[in-house]
Amino acid sequence: MNGDEQLLNGRVYGAEHDDPNPGPLPHRTYAELVGGPLDGLLLDIHGWRTEEVDDGVALSTELGRWPGGRALYDPRPGEPRTPGPGVSCRFYYSGDTP
């Protein structure tokens, strides 16, 4: 794991780099991002409907193939989800888009 990966691991996507507490909050629900440029980050999905989670996400990043582009992450069909706060599911990297 390089320095950039260590910096991202366990942080919440969108948290400011200088946030003194960039980790998850105990009352929120998260998806763990697996693979790709945002590997190890948590995405806050608190309050998302099942359909929204099923659709996956395109997240802005400077770390992907196209700086300023988006990294695509999707859940795997049939993978179990845990209801309630904490890490509920995983989103897997599927590519980049400009």
Side-chain angles (χ1 to χ4, degrees), residues 1-2 4-15 31-44 57-66 68-74 90-97:
M1 184 179 293
N2 70 31
D4 288 339
E5 290 169 334
Q6 288 177 347
L7 179 66
L8 295 178
N9 200 23
R11 294 175 63 91
V12 175
Y13 173 81
E32 178 184 359
L33 302 178
V34 179
L38 303 176
D39 185 45
L41 284 176
L42 299 175
L43 177 65
D44 189 336
V57 292
L59 301 171
S60 296
T61 182
E62 294 296 322
L63 303 174
R65 184 173 175 192
W66 292 281
R70 296 184 181 273
L72 307 174
Y73 286 86
D74 301 291
R90 293 181 177 158
F91 284 1
Y92 296 88
Y93 176 71
S94 61
D96 292 310
T97 188

Side-chain angles (χ1 to χ4, degrees), residues 20-58:
N21 186 13
L25 299 173
H27 62 280
R28 306 291 293 182
T29 304
Y30 299 93
E32 178 184 359
L33 302 178
V34 179
L38 303 176
D39 185 45
L41 284 176
L42 299 175
L43 177 65
D44 189 336
I45 58 169
H46 191 80
W48 288 25
R49 296 185 329 269
T50 300
E51 302 81 34
E52 292 172 307
V53 173
D54 290 343
D55 287 343
V57 292

